[in-house]
């Protein structure tokens, strides 16, 4: 089976079959990263541009390693090294990149819809590495892979996502992804951080963390940004930690084999108590490892790879 | 040149609604009726008006002509051509140009340019506060004498309640309307579309209805306090309509307008980050659209005005949250408004009133088809089907969400002071 799309812009446009294909391919890719020589020639001669308009360490490193392990040539552009600071429009920058014939543009941008705008103006593949508060599809895919590894399935699970839903692209992508695969997603947030109408994505909402955790198979905690406090969305980190943070006592309400996920970087002691972050249920580092595998799979698939092609 | 428009349905709201002829000569309406023109010289041209509507020239009391300052988006000349093509014979030009129209000099300049353009009458609206900065009142008397017909800081609200109160009171001395762009900036902060499920799905920061209605309610309270003439611009949401309805019932001197996009589209039009559907206030929900239509139907909303806001690709071909607000409206307003008649929202005469005599009354402008009056009139084919093609706009800008729409009804002839300024 082949992926019949040029771009990975959001979870909203991916079908169940496509998600399964991507996750299955990622499993094959994962093995490469465990070898002593972590490199296969699969994408030799292909070039990938990592265009990060917004600061990122983890996602950029993950994409870069993914490209290199498949032998693609990769270059990175940041906001400060691109012409955007010189007043060039995003479309012009994209067209200029395109003129250098890359095969894939990976973009992170602070404006929702920026990857969609670029995809309309270039012929090469575009992968969304996070756009504003819209979507972060590769994060959702790596989260789903992490959960599928441990649970053996993605349907019939109860997934709680807790924190600043309003500003979270990770939350949106996971809501869509897990729901599409047949899980039930419940969101918990202070009402100041619960965006209006999110129920239309097919999820439940509550402002009580305990209710969201009740019987959960998966708990995903979101990072709370200090600037939200300045904007008046919550009064203090102390109160946030007490009311909306995850600690060991609270975890009793979840299923005994619950998984704790966090997209990182973790604010220890705020949304996540240290004993939970480092505890037996935490799969946070698995998420990071799976990130490389999922991104390898996506690069491979958008460039026309087939699942059963030998990645060697 | 004496022109007879024969056998059209003449709708002059409040005056007449009948099939008759109109004879135009020397820039004026010489005769309305069916009889011969006695001894006044020959009729040189007869326009067959059968099946057509003849109405007073349409009046758009809310346009941005961008001159001076942003002539690459629109000039007074191009804007007036767009107006004529859309059936409008008069427009009110908002003051948020560069420089802002807060002075006699800019007001005179706008009128001067309009005289050269001549395809529509241009009535300048001057700023309430200098530089639209919200701190010091403009010289209302001077501006009125120079030709300003109203005051507005359009594009920006007057944030200070005391400032707004003073503006309303001071305008009373000159019997001039204060036009309010109602927006509570803190509530709207950072938003780029309507707050709701669509914004949430697209990950765009939302602007709640309350960002508009809170300010509508404040200004209604101030109008009640001062007795001033308040006109609310571009009403987009249910709560504003309801507040205005209540105020009118209490006898507050308030009038209000809405724009065709608010009664035609919803926030779903933003679809895949289409910046042509980005404006301020934003497109709202289906319930708001219903409320706006209801407001037009029951007279809460007095007028249809386009908020014609030309922008080039420089401002629009951008990330959605970076793109400028506003769409052009002059060349699409008539068919979109006629759809209200087809949908049973308004009778044809009521619709015509909301595009002619009502806006004229709000801004104190002449309007109507009285014998001896200026021949500003629009001949409309209500059945003409056509496809909106922004490439053929007279406006210099193309930012419309209606491109490619199949619509019905069009101005086939527009006349200003007896001169044909547009003819299909």
């Amino acid at each position: 089976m082949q992926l019949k799309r040029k771009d990975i812009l959001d979870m909203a446009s991916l079908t169940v079959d496509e998600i399964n294909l991507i996750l299955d391919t990622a499993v094959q890719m994962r093995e490469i990263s465990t070898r002593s020589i972590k490199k296969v020639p699969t994408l030799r001669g292909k070039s990938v541009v990592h265009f990060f308009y917004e600061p990122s360490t983890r996602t950029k490193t993950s994409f870069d390693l993914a490209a290199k392990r498949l032998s693609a040539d990769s270059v990175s552009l940041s906001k400060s090294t691109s012409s955007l600071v010189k007043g060039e429009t995003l479309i012009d920058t994209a067209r200029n990149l395109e003129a250098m014939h890359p095969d894939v543009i990976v973009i992170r941008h602070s404006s929702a819809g920026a990857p969609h705008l670029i995809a309309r103006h270039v012929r090469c593949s575009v992968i969304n590495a996070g756009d504003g508060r819209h979507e972060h599809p590769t994060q959702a895919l790596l989260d789903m892979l992490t959960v599928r590894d441990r649970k053996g399935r993605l349907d019939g699970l109860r997934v709680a996502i807790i924190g600043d839903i309003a500003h979270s692209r990770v939350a949106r992508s996971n809501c869509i992804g897990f729901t599409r695969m047949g899980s039930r997603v419940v969101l918990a947030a202070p009402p100041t951080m619960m965006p209006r109408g999110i129920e239309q994505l097919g999820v439940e909402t509550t402002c009580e963390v305990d209710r969201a955790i009740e019987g959960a198979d998966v708990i995903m905690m979101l990072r709370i940004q200090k600037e939200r406090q300045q904007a008046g969305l919550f009064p203090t980190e102390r109160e946030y930690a007490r009311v909306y943070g995850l600690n060991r006592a609270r975890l009793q309400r979840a299923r005994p084999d619950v998984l704790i996920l966090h997209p990182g970087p973790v604010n220890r002691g705020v949304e996540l108590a240290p004993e939970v972050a480092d505890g037996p249920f935490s799969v946070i580092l698995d998420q990071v490892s799976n990130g490389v595998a999922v991104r390898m799979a996506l690069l491979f698939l958008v460039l026309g790879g087939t699942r059963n092609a030998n990645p060697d | 040149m004496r022109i007879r428009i024969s056998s059209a349905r003449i709708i002059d709201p409040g005056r007449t609604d009948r099939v008759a002829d109109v004879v135009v000569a020397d820039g004026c309406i010489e005769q309305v009726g069916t009889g011969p023109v006695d001894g006044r010289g020959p009729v040189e041209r007869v326009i067959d008006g059968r099946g057509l509507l003849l109405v007073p020239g349409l009046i758009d009391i809310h346009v941005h002509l961008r001159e001076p300052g942003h002539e690459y988006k629109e000039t007074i000349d191009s804007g007036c051509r767009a107006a004529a093509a859309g059936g409008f014979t008069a427009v009110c030009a908002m003051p948020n140009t560069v420089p802002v129209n807060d002075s006699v000099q800019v007001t005179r300049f706008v009128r001067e340019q309009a005289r050269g353009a001549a395809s529509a009458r241009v009535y300048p609206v001057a700023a309430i506060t200098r530089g639209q900065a919200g701190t010091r009142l403009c010289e209302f008397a001077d501006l009125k004498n120079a030709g300003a017909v109203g005051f507005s800081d359009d594009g920006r609200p007057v944030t200070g309640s005391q400032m707004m109160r003073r503006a309303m009171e001071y305008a009373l001395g000159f019997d001039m309307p204060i036009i309010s762009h109602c927006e509570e900036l803190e509530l709207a902060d950072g938003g780029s579309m309507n707050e709701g499920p669509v914004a949430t799905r697209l990950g765009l920061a939302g602007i709640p209805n309350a960002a508009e209605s809170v300010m509508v309610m404040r200004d209604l309270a101030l109008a009640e306090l001062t007795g001033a003439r308040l006109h609310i611009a571009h009403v987009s949401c249910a709560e504003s309509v309801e507040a205005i309805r209540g105020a009118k019932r209490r006898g507050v001197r308030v009038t209000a307008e809405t724009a065709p996009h608010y009664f035609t589209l919803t926030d779903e039009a933003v679809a895949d980050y289409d910046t042509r559907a980005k404006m301020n206030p934003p497109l709202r929900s289906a319930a708001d659209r219903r409320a706006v239509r209801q407001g037009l139907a029951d007279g809460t909303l007095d007028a249809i005005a386009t908020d014609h806001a030309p922008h080039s690709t420089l401002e629009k071909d951008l990330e959605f949250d970076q793109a400028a607000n506003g769409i052009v409206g002059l060349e699409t307003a008539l068919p979109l408004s006629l759809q209200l008649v087809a949908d049973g929202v308004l009778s044809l005469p009521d619709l015509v009133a909301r595009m002619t005599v009502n806006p004229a009354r709000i801004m104190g402008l002449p309007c109507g088809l009285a014998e001896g009056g200026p021949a500003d009139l629009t001949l409309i084919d209500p059945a003409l089907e056509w496809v909106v093609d922004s490439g053929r706009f007279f406006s210099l800008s193309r930012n419309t969400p209606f491109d490619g729409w199949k619509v019905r009804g069009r101005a086939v002839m527009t006349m200003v002071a007896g001169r044909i300024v547009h003819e299909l």
Side-chain angles (χ1 to χ4, degrees), chain A residues 54-56 59 108-111 128-137 139-140 164-175 222:
Chain A
E54 204 183 54
S56 157
T59 304
R108 162 161 299 185
H109 198 287
S110 54
S111 293
N128 180 2
D131 62 324
R133 56 176 83 169
H134 175 227
E135 280 224 39
H136 194 352
Q139 176 73 39
D164 182 2
I165 308 293
H167 298 90
S168 176
R169 53 191 171 216
V170 175
R172 277 177 186 66
S173 286
N174 272 307
C175 283
L222 301 173

Side-chain angles (χ1 to χ4, degrees), chain B residues 27-322:
Chain B
C28 293
I29 295 171
E30 193 174 63
Q31 183 181 314
V32 181
T34 44
V37 190
D38 308 322
R40 294 186 192 132
V43 171
E44 282 129 302
R45 185 174 172 200
V46 177
I47 295 171
D48 184 358
R50 279 177 298 177
L52 306 181
L53 308 172
L54 184 60
V55 303
L58 307 182
I59 297 175
D60 186 349
I61 57 175
H62 195 138
V63 303
H64 298 271
L65 297 180
R66 305 297 188 211
E67 185 180 356
H70 291 135
E71 293 83 355
Y72 67 98
K73 297 181 182 181
E74 196 80 288
T75 63
I76 290 172
D77 185 59
S78 66
C80 287
R81 286 172 200 270
F88 292 94
T89 59
V91 296
C92 293
M94 288 295 152
N96 60 339
T97 47
V98 182
V100 168
N101 181 8
D102 56 5
S103 68
V104 165
Q105 287 79 2
V106 178
T107 298
R108 284 203 187 120
F109 170 81
V110 170
R111 295 193 61 198
E112 205 63 32
Q113 295 296 96
R115 250 193 294 283
S119 40
R121 299 181 196 268
V122 178
Y123 297 100
V125 171
I128 296 171
T129 62
R130 294 187 204 189
Q132 297 187 306
T135 51
R136 291 186 302 151
L137 274 188
C138 293
E139 296 176 317
F140 284 7
D142 252 19
L143 289 162
K144 182 181 181 183
N145 288 335
V149 295
F151 300 106
S152 178
D153 276 358
D154 190 65
R156 309 174 65 164
V158 176
T159 51
S161 303
Q162 182 72 295
M163 185 77 245
M164 191 56 153
R165 175 196 174 155
R166 295 304 178 214
M168 285 189 191
E169 282 178 330
Y170 192 66
L172 267 174
F174 311 99
D175 192 31
M176 293 278 273
I178 293 286
I179 303 161
S180 180
H181 165 113
C182 291
E183 181 180 10
E184 214 289 308
L185 291 175
E186 275 195 23
L187 279 174
D189 181 36
S192 52
M193 70 172 293
N194 183 44
E195 179 172 301
V198 182
T200 293
R201 174 160 53 79
L202 292 173
L204 291 167
I207 302 170
N209 286 5
E212 174 178 308
S213 63
V214 158
M215 211 57 149
V216 168
M217 291 175 203
R218 181 201 75 172
D219 287 349
L220 290 170
L222 293 176
E224 204 159 8
L225 173 69
T226 59
R229 273 173 62 195
L230 170 66
H231 177 70
I232 310 275
H234 44 56
V235 171
S236 73
C237 67
E239 294 85 348
S240 301
V241 173
E242 188 50 42
I244 295 164
R245 185 178 289 131
K248 283 189 165 185
R249 222 178 275 138
R250 295 195 302 278
V252 178
R253 293 173 78 197
V254 60
T255 53
E257 73 189 35
T258 189
H261 39 276
Y262 300 121
F263 60 70
T264 305
L265 300 173
T266 67
D267 57 0
E268 293 282 354
V270 174
D272 209 6
Y273 305 98
D274 188 347
T275 61
R276 294 172 308 173
K278 184 180 180 186
M279 69 281 292
N280 186 22
L283 296 172
R284 302 288 189 185
S285 69
D288 292 306
R289 179 174 59 180
R290 270 196 304 278
V292 166
R293 287 175 161 229
Q294 182 55 39
L296 278 168
D298 67 17
T300 301
L301 302 177
D302 304 83
I304 293 169
T306 65
D307 197 2
H308 180 80
H311 287 295
S312 78
T313 55
L314 296 176
E315 294 82 26
K316 281 293 195 182
D317 283 1
L318 297 174
E319 299 87 317
F320 193 88
D321 57 2
Q322 306 291 313

